[in-house]
Amino acid sequence: MKIKFRTRDFKEKKQRGEKIAMLTAYDANMARLLDRAGVDAILVGDSVGMVVLGFETTVPVTLEAMIHHTAAVSRGTERALIVADMPFMTYETTTAEAVRNAGRLMQEGGAEAVKVEGGSAVLEAVKRLVDVGIPVMGHLGLLPQSVHRVGGFLRQATTPHDADILLADALALEEAGVFAIVLEAIPSDVARTVTAAVSIATIGIGAGPECDGQVLVLHDVLGLTPNLYKFAKAYADLRSEVIAALQAYATDVRTSAFPDDAHSFH
Ligand code: KIV
């Protein structure tokens, strides 16, 4: 029997010095493969907006879209913990709205935890979510939902002052009750300091090797993305394979090589 990965396993793995492997997924089929591969946790990221839906940023992603994709992922998953991103403006306005929206991700989407971006600005929402029984993952460093304020997808915490703010935010998020924090696009030494300072797990993406775990976008790992960020790594070249397979199919159709006898009813 597969043993379900739980939020408490994040901290227990950190304490045992075991790394946590997390990836994004957006549909049931891929979620099934991630589960089969033994990935610990699946993030239904709002990166779905850029990776699957063709948006330039994650800002246009709606709660309905997140519920739709989270429900698909949960139908394909048995073991991995499912964390759903709360999209832009679904947790920043009032704590009541944050609770209502996170509740929908859990009840309608099957999420087992939610992720919110930011530090001091989201502490009240985090505390309330945790109080009412919703596990929350934090997210510091590069915050894709703030791309328009920042002016791009830029590295963060690159000055001692900003690194101090990030550390203070991490400690405040831990105090507010998050079970783990994603650290995105920050220098490795800042991630090391934060990881040593908090007792909860840090999950890095572009934050160096000393976080307690790593998360990447699935399409990057599979080699389906044309231009990778420096911190992403492709473990396959599916883009070339997919194009070759589709070209072979089109050629077969045009030359009447497909369907052949084996693929026809008699
Ligand atoms: O939406 C997402 O995929 C994320 C990861 C980059 C951590 O938030």
Side-chain angles (χ1 to χ4, degrees):
M1 213 196 49
K2 292 181 183 164
I3 298 170
K4 178 77 188 159
F5 200 81
R6 308 264 177 208
T7 51
R8 64 166 185 271
D9 291 312
F10 279 75
K11 195 169 194 172
E12 288 175 13
K13 275 203 155 206
K14 176 179 179 125
Q15 287 165 347
R16 291 198 297 271
E18 293 169 13
K19 299 274 184 175
I20 299 150
M22 186 167 187
L23 275 175
T24 67
Y26 316 103
D27 65 76
N29 197 30
M30 281 297 172
R32 218 167 274 127
L33 298 180
L34 263 67
D35 217 35
R36 175 107 184 252
V39 169
D40 297 315
I42 297 179
L43 173 65
V44 189
D46 58 358
S47 52
V48 67
M50 300 170 75
V51 176
V52 176
L53 303 177
F55 293 122
E56 300 254 312
T57 74
T58 58
V59 171
V61 175
T62 61
L63 184 66
E64 301 306 324
M66 287 306 300
I67 291 171
H68 179 78
H69 286 278
T70 305
V73 166
S74 66
R75 286 192 287 272
T77 310
E78 281 179 48
R79 176 190 171 269
L81 180 89
I82 300 168
V83 183
D85 256 337
M86 294 198 71
F88 183 58
M89 283 304 136
T90 61
Y91 54 96
E92 297 92 332
T93 50
T94 64
T95 52
E97 197 157 336
V99 169
R100 205 165 15 250
N101 293 332
R104 287 193 64 197
L105 282 166
M106 295 183 85
Q107 289 188 302
E108 297 171 47
E112 294 155 330
V114 298
K115 176 164 80 58
V116 299
E117 295 185 7
S120 52
V122 300
L123 287 180
E124 284 315 308
V126 169
K127 280 186 202 149
R128 184 75 188 127
L129 290 170
V130 174
D131 275 355
V132 298
I134 299 175
V136 182
M137 176 176 265
H139 185 152
L140 295 173
L142 194 169
L143 307 178
Q145 293 174 9
S146 301
V147 60
H148 295 307
R149 174 171 55 84
V150 176
F153 295 104
L154 307 174
R155 279 191 308 139
Q156 299 297 310
T158 51
T159 65
H161 174 72
D162 289 350
D164 285 348
I165 293 176
L166 191 137
L167 175 59
D169 279 343
L171 291 166
L173 282 173
E174 175 173 26
E175 175 76 22
V178 301
F179 67 91
I181 305 175
V182 167
L183 299 176
E184 180 164 358
I186 63 171
S188 305
D189 58 331
V190 178
R192 185 196 316 126
T193 304
V194 173
T195 301
V198 295
S199 69
I200 52 171
T202 59
I203 306 294
I205 171 163
E210 290 177 67
C211 296
D212 299 306
Q214 298 290 327
V215 59
L216 281 177
V217 169
L218 177 66
H219 291 53
D220 294 346
V221 168
L222 296 180
L224 287 166
T225 313
N227 302 307
L228 285 190
Y229 288 108
K230 174 183 162 67
F231 58 70
K233 179 172 173 187
Y235 285 80
D237 183 14
L238 292 197
R239 195 163 181 271
S240 309
E241 286 195 39
V242 168
I243 292 171
L246 300 180
Q247 283 171 336
Y249 165 74
T251 302
D252 274 6
V253 170
R254 290 180 188 130
T255 59
S256 296
F258 178 85
D260 55 11
D261 232 30
H263 297 92
S264 304
F265 293 113
H266 298 290

